[in-house]
């Protein structure tokens, strides 16, 4: 900007000098013409006075020799040339038609200027009438106006150059003075009031203040919106990736980075295939770039990721400018779906087994194939299988209830020791029948928890019942309830058959049995420990299993103790 102002000021100065010179040249040239004619008239008058006195052509001849630039011509009253200092008068034609001579004969004097196109010169003429009626004409030839002013142009050039040299620092100084308020203004945009400006800048500064305030408000709004969007995307459980048409990542939130690669890195600017090389992902993105909305589920590092992609189009245009990818971890949903499928298959199988037995025995009785003495035995087996079927159905119904949301309204302060004692009392007859010693121990005081009496009772019953069923005659089952580190602990220990290490992780699965033949013999459904696990989860507790084959099993359940303020309420 400073350079432009300086150059333009210098250009204005140069143009001003050129314009002044151009305007003065015609005036100066007119002055020059008048001066030449005035001098020529003076010379002609003096020469005519000398000729009038001497009446001798030799006088004119002598003047012509002394002043070769001055041409003298003597013409009679008829226009015939009598004498000429430059040419032979006898060979010259009549000059009666010359304007300056004709005017001199009429008015006593006359002047004229004629330009020679071939020689490029200008000749000035002045004629004066003598006393005898003849005319004496003086002529002076000069070169063109450019040759006349040749010396003047060199002076003008040097003057112009000098002025231009002086103009440059002055232009710079003026530019600095003009730009100084603007420079200070740019350095103090946040506090324009501190800058001293000249009046011409006041509207400009006022407008800047308004624009600055408007921009500040807009920036604050944009910053707030950006923070909201960043907060939203960073805390989204779903992953979001925005790409351009080259599949380069423009924006990615932490959830997407974690699900696609499991590594924390800067993905912006990188190709999505660098993050995840799964062919299915590339295929879905290509479909989005073709203008389609697509979705698929891919497996990534042992997890299942749901992909939803769609094209991003420019506002007011159908042209695709990018791709939006949404990713969601659906591993739990897939596992739940598989669990439901397995559960359905297991339920079908478990229900089919007793129904097949019932149907078979009933058919034998119906067709008369059973002997009369066998009918009672078959009826007993039908009753046993029907009871097992009913127990299985009840357990399935109970599991479906436990799969639902926690029913906090049913929770109340309870003593876990009393619940364990109730279950022990109920199962004493079964333990005595199997010749298993059943022992219940308490730490002396109540162990209070917040929970459902029915669910916790069912949990304790299933744990103790399982321990009795899988403990051989002469064995022992110990039930103990105590407090430990802010938690209520229910521990059921037996010295039964135990569970192999490779099967311990699956014992809480539905319908899973360590020894299926023994389970059927003991009347188990394979759902007891699964129900226990659900009850513990409903009460925000934990369950742990310690076991070894032929050495017994210990199951430890931990549930948060009831807080003092809750018990007082």
């Amino acid at each position: 900007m400073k350079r432009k102002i300086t150059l333009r000021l210098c250009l204005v100065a140069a143009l001003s000098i050129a314009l002044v010179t151009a305007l003065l040249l015609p005036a100066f040239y007119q002055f020059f013409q008048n001066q030449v004619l005035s001098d020529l008239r003076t010379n002609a008058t003096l020469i005519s006075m000398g000729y009038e006195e001497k009446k001798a052509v030799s006088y004119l001849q002598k003047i012509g020799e002394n002043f070769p630039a001055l041409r003298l011509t003597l013409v009679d009253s008829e226009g015939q040339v009598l004498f000429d200092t430059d040419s032979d008068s006898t060979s010259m034609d009549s000059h009666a038609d010359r304007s300056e001579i004709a005017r001199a004969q009429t008015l006593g004097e006359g002047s004229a200027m004629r330009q020679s196109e071939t020689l490029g010169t200008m000749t000035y003429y002045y004629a004066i009438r003598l006393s005898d009626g003849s005319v004496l004409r003086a002529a002076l030839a000069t070169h063109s106006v450019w040759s006349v002013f040749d010396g003047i142009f060199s002076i003008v050039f040097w003057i112009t150059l000098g002025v231009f040299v002086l103009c440059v620092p002055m232009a710079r100084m003026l530019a600095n003075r003009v730009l100084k308020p603007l420079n200070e203004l740019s350095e103090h945009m946040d506090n324009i009031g501190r800058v001293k400006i000249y009046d011409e800048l006041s509207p400009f500064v006022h407008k800047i203040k308004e624009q600055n305030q408007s921009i500040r408000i807009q920036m604050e709004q944009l910053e707030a919106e950006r923070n909201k969007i960043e907060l939203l995307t960073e805390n989204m459980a779903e992953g979001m990736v925005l790409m351009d048409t080259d599949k380069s990542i423009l924006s990615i939130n932490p959830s997407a980075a974690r699900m696609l690669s499991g590594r924390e890195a800067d993905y912006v600017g990188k190709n999505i295939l660098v993050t995840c090389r799964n062919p299915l992902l590339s295929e879905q993105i290509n479909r989005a770039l073709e203008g389609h909305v697509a979705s698929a589920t891919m497996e990534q590092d042992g997890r299942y990721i749901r992909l939803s992609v769609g094209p991003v189009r420019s506002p007011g245009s159908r042209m695709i400018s990018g791709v939006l990818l949404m990713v969601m971890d659906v591993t739990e949903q897939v596992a739940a779906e598989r669990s439901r499928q397995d559960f359905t298959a297991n339920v079908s199988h478990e229900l089919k087994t007793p129904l097949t037995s019932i149907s078979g025995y009933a058919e034998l009785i119906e067709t008369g194939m059973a002997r009369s003495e066998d009918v009672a035995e078959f009826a007993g087996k039908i009753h046993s299988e029907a009871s097992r079927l009913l127990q299985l159905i009840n357990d399935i119904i109970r599991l479906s209830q436990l799969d639902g949301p926690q029913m906090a309204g049913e929770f109340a302060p309870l003593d876990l020791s009393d619940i364990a004692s109730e279950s022990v009392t109920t199962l004493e007859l079964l333990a005595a029948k199997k010749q298993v010693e059943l022992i219940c121990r308490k730490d002396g005081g109540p162990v209070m928890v917040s929970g459902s009496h029915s669910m916790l009772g069912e949990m304790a019953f299933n744990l103790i019942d399982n321990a009795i069923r899988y403990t051989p005659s002469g064995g022992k089952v110990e039930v103990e309830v105590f407090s430990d580190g802010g938690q209520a602990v229910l521990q059921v220990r037996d010295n039964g058959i135990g569970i192999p290490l490779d099967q311990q992780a699956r014992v809480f699965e539905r319908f899973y049995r360590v020894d299926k033949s023994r389970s059927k013999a003991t009347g188990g459904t394979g759902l007891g420990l699964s129900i226990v696990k659900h009850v513990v989860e409903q009460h925000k507790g934990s369950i742990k299993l310690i076991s070894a084959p032929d050495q017994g099993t210990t199951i430890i359940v931990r549930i948060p103790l009831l807080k003092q303020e809750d018990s007082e309420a």
Side-chain angles (χ1 to χ4, degrees), residues 278-525:
N278 194 297
L280 182 60
L281 174 62
S282 179
E283 178 185 344
Q284 299 305 307
I285 294 174
N286 289 335
R287 291 193 62 189
L289 289 173
E290 294 172 358
H292 305 291
V293 176
S295 61
T297 302
M298 73 174 188
E299 188 175 359
Q300 175 80 6
D301 299 331
R303 296 174 295 125
Y304 291 91
I305 307 298
R306 183 70 175 174
L307 307 174
S308 298
V309 296
V312 177
R313 291 182 168 88
S314 301
S317 171
R318 300 296 298 172
M319 183 178 297
I320 297 175
S321 58
V323 174
L324 179 63
L325 168 64
M326 300 296 294
V327 293
M328 183 183 300
D329 191 338
V330 293
T331 304
E332 293 184 2
Q333 291 89 322
V334 171
E337 182 62 29
R338 288 182 177 177
S339 177
R340 282 192 293 270
Q341 293 174 356
D342 293 342
F343 180 69
T344 302
N346 290 330
V347 166
S348 301
H349 175 74
E350 294 293 334
L351 292 177
K352 183 179 179 181
T353 301
L355 285 174
T356 300
S357 298
I358 292 171
S359 178
Y361 289 125
E363 186 179 358
L364 289 175
I365 295 173
E366 181 184 16
T367 58
M369 295 179 64
R371 295 177 300 177
S372 57
E373 61 269 21
D374 294 332
V375 171
E377 180 184 354
F378 287 174
K381 290 183 177 180
I382 290 174
H383 180 266
S384 175
E385 292 295 332
S387 298
R388 181 167 175 265
L389 180 62
L390 181 61
Q391 182 183 357
L392 183 62
I393 292 173
N394 288 334
D395 285 347
I396 292 171
I397 293 173
R398 187 58 179 156
L399 271 177
S400 66
Q401 292 173 345
L402 292 174
D403 276 338
Q406 176 178 321
M407 294 171 287
E410 296 183 359
F411 282 24
L414 299 171
D415 185 356
L416 189 60
S417 300
D418 292 342
I419 293 175
S421 296
E422 292 173 5
S423 298
V424 169
T425 302
T426 303
L427 291 168
E428 281 180 345
L429 183 61
L430 176 63
K433 185 178 179 180
K434 288 203 64 180
Q435 298 179 358
V436 172
E437 182 183 1
L438 182 59
I439 304 172
C440 182
R441 295 191 178 93
K442 303 179 183 180
D443 64 354
V447 181
M448 302 301 295
V449 297
S450 175
S452 167
H453 188 280
S454 60
M455 285 193 287
L456 291 176
E458 189 172 13
M459 176 192 72
F461 182 90
N462 281 335
L463 288 175
I464 300 170
D465 181 62
N466 258 15
I468 295 172
R469 288 178 185 276
Y470 291 98
T471 300
S473 298
K476 182 171 63 175
V477 174
E478 297 180 70
V479 179
E480 188 176 0
V481 180
F482 56 91
S483 301
D484 180 32
Q487 291 184 319
V489 181
L490 170 62
Q491 182 174 283
V492 180
R493 180 189 300 112
D494 65 66
N495 57 359
I497 62 174
I499 303 171
L501 183 62
D502 60 343
Q503 299 185 45
Q504 291 180 14
R506 300 191 60 190
V507 296
F508 295 102
E509 294 181 8
R510 299 171 182 180
F511 298 110
Y512 185 79
R513 299 184 182 91
V514 177
D515 187 343
K516 294 186 178 180
S517 61
R518 183 184 293 270
S519 178
K520 289 185 178 180
T522 58
T525 63

